[in-house]
Amino acid sequence: MGTNTYAINAVKGNEFLVADKLREMGLHPWVPTMLCKKRIKEKTEIIWHDRPYIPKLLFCVVPAIYWDGVMDIKEIVGKPIELSRSDIGSSGGGFLMKPKPLGDQFVLDGNGAKIPIPMRYGLQSFRETVEAEYAAMCELRDSNEWVCGFRPGQALEILAGAFSGMTANFKEVVKSAAVGHPMLRVEMEVLGAKREVEVKPLSVAG
């Protein structure tokens, strides 16, 4: 029995257009997407934009009744390929090669040299990975665009992280090259002593 889940090949640069046309038909496509940034020439402004994670590729559940309509979309190249349950599952065969073998996944050749065994992503685990990366980039973007409205000494509540639920006093904004966005230096009581720690700007409330 088929899964009705298809890998669809689109004309390069038309991945999101094809997805929009599928949505107009009432379907729910997924374009693996990364959030990227670029600096405008001769300006300090940074522009964030979505880009296909894998050019020309998207996925969609396509019930048989929609098939003819899907094939009428001129930006689709060739016939969509139906994925097996193994292709979709988070474990099993998979359909996408992982960039590096994991752990001790290898065999020995005739000379005793290690040959890595290719590992594969199923669609489910691939989607989880892509969406986690996208969420991390959204956090980076939002942190970079964050504008400090706190004053030195202001009491803050920490909403997330190791110190969630605790209070702290704001000291200053710290530009952190290590994490790629500003951090807040705050003073708080830890184990009976006042200590300075750095927290993410989106993890506190005034």
Side-chain angles (χ1 to χ4, degrees):
M1 186 175 182
T3 63
N4 287 335
T5 300
Y6 291 86
I8 298 173
N9 196 29
V11 174
K12 187 174 182 180
N14 288 268
E15 300 88 350
F16 297 120
L17 175 62
V18 170
D20 287 341
K21 290 185 176 183
L22 291 172
R23 290 189 190 95
E24 289 173 3
M25 296 170 60
L27 299 175
H28 303 282
W30 176 59
V31 181
T33 305
M34 62 173 65
L35 181 61
C36 305
K37 62 179 179 178
K38 62 181 178 181
R39 189 177 297 276
I40 303 298
K41 288 184 178 180
E42 301 177 357
K43 294 184 180 180
T44 58
E45 183 182 5
I46 292 177
I47 301 297
W48 294 83
H49 62 100
D50 287 345
R51 191 175 79 188
Y53 201 96
I54 302 177
K56 304 190 289 186
L57 183 66
L58 65 151
F59 301 91
C60 191
V61 174
V62 182
I65 193 172
Y66 290 92
W67 185 257
D68 288 343
V70 170
M71 294 307 298
D72 285 341
I73 298 175
K74 64 181 181 180
E75 292 85 6
I76 289 179
V77 178
K79 184 178 179 180
I81 299 172
E82 186 172 13
L83 303 182
S84 68
R85 296 191 185 282
S86 177
D87 291 332
I88 295 170
S90 57
S91 61
F95 72 102
L96 281 174
M97 302 295 292
K98 288 188 177 180
K100 295 179 182 179
L102 302 179
D104 296 325
Q105 303 289 335
F106 62 86
V107 294
L108 300 178
D109 66 10
N111 298 317
K114 294 180 180 180
I115 301 175
I117 299 174
M119 303 296 290
R120 293 181 177 273
Y121 278 119
L123 179 59
Q124 180 180 331
S125 57
F126 175 59
R127 183 166 187 167
E128 290 170 356
T129 299
V130 171
E131 292 182 345
E133 290 180 12
Y134 191 90
M137 289 303 293
C138 285
E139 181 180 16
L140 178 62
R141 176 199 61 197
D142 294 344
S143 294
N144 274 297
E145 294 177 349
W146 177 84
V147 177
C148 183
F150 305 134
R151 62 184 184 278
Q154 181 177 347
L156 304 176
E157 179 185 0
I158 300 179
L159 305 175
F163 304 108
S164 178
M166 300 179 69
T167 57
N169 291 324
F170 173 67
K171 292 186 71 69
E172 61 183 343
V173 175
V174 179
K175 297 291 185 181
S176 176
V179 297
H181 61 76
M183 296 287 284
L184 304 186
R185 181 170 291 145
V186 300
E187 184 180 73
M188 59 191 305
E189 188 171 309
V190 180
L191 300 177
K194 289 187 176 181
R195 304 180 188 275
E196 291 186 357
V197 298
E198 292 183 4
V199 296
K200 296 180 179 180
L202 301 180
S203 70
V204 301

